Amino acid sequence: KNEVEQSPQNLTAQEGEFITINCSYSVGISALHWLQQHPGGGIVSLFMLSSGKKKHGRLIATINIQEKHSSLHITASHPRDSAVYICAVTGNDMRFGAGTRLTVKP
Amino acid sequence: GAVVSQHPSWVICKSGTSVKIECRSLDFQATTMFWYRQFPKQSLMLMATSNEGSKATYEQGVEKDKFLINHASLTLSTLTVTSAHPEDSSFYICSAGQGAGANVLTFGAGSRLTVL
């Protein structure tokens, strides 16, 4: 079993839909990161969480430390949100989820 | 905001040659930089953590003599792939860490290496 599990692996949505991507981890962490990787490969750090909830524009990230689970939500999704979203945890070292490939259709 | 410049963005080299990739923090000092590798259709894999002025810490399975990391200043870390072979062809990415535990990460745009 991977230490960082993401679901779903692939997700296709219609523009405007509310999207949720989940991340569960089994190791102790000091922080959890949500990353966005566009087709060209460039990576953007969306959020770093150690507790609670953060919001940036249409993106919301939550983390439940007791349940070792985090979610990334995208409200009013748009085709430009199409990317791979990666969950990463840092603690003694850094581990990555396999990524969720999101496609938002117009 | 914080910017990390990675260069070159892509490189093609012959088997047996060495390739150097640079990672620079442009507007902040990064005591810690991270190097990752990503194979096609796979997620990122942390290769090593480099701290300014000290030896890099390599992840298990990453050959330190093959992937030489130098972090000689607070704004520059380099990764040199020595005696590159086709199986080293990959997307190499760096990030610079800020804050407590270097947890605030800014990523470079990545370098795509193709070894012929």
Side-chain angles (χ1 to χ4, degrees):
Chain A
K1 188 180 190 296
N2 291 335
E3 292 169 320
V4 182
E5 296 271 0
Q6 268 185 254
S7 63
Q9 190 173 3
N10 293 284
L11 180 58
T12 300
Q14 287 297 130
E15 183 173 357
E17 286 185 358
F18 180 84
I19 288 161
T20 296
I21 300 170
N22 295 298
C23 176
S24 295
Y25 54 93
S26 58
V27 295
I29 69 169
S30 58
L32 182 143
H33 304 258
W34 281 103
L35 312 174
Q36 179 191 55
Q37 186 172 30
H38 280 282
I43 292 175
V44 174
S45 178
L46 299 175
F47 294 104
M48 184 196 71
L49 295 163
S50 55
S51 65
K53 174 181 174 179
K54 287 189 177 180
K55 184 177 189 293
H56 185 252
R58 294 180 295 107
L59 302 178
I60 303 167
T62 64
I63 187 168
N64 185 318
I65 298 295
Q66 286 73 30
E67 294 185 4
K68 295 191 174 181
H69 180 270
S70 175
S71 293
L72 175 68
H73 306 286
I74 305 175
T75 61
S77 60
H78 191 275
R80 64 174 175 268
D81 297 326
S82 298
V84 175
Y85 292 83
I86 301 170
C87 170
V89 298
T90 53
N92 290 330
D93 49 22
M94 182 180 287
R95 292 288 179 258
F96 296 88
T100 295
R101 184 173 299 277
L102 172 65
T103 303
V104 181
K105 295 185 175 180
Chain B
V3 175
V4 170
S5 172
Q6 194 173 334
H7 178 82
S9 56
W10 58 271
V11 57
I12 301 172
C13 69
K14 292 183 178 180
S15 187
T17 60
S18 294
V19 174
K20 180 185 285 188
I21 301 168
E22 293 187 348
C23 181
R24 292 180 186 272
S25 57
L26 295 186
D27 48 4
F28 64 99
Q29 294 182 330
T31 55
T32 303
M33 287 188 175
F34 304 89
W35 287 95
Y36 315 84
R37 181 166 57 182
Q38 184 178 39
F39 291 109
K41 298 190 184 301
Q42 294 186 25
S43 192
L44 295 165
M45 184 193 77
L46 179 66
M47 298 176 67
T49 302
S50 87
N51 292 295
E52 186 265 337
S54 62
K55 290 184 178 180
T57 302
Y58 290 80
E59 295 297 301
Q60 192 173 7
V62 178
E63 300 174 57
K64 62 181 181 182
D65 294 329
K66 180 160 187 66
F67 299 99
L68 300 180
I69 292 172
N70 184 283
H71 192 164
S73 80
L74 287 171
T75 59
L76 174 64
S77 176
T78 60
L79 167 69
T80 301
V81 183
T82 62
S83 186
H85 287 90
E87 58 266 29
D88 298 324
S89 298
S90 187
F91 190 57
Y92 293 88
I93 307 164
C94 72
S95 74
Q98 294 175 275
N103 269 331
V104 179
L105 301 175
T106 304
F107 286 81
S111 300
R112 189 164 302 281
L113 170 65
T114 302
V115 184
L116 302 176

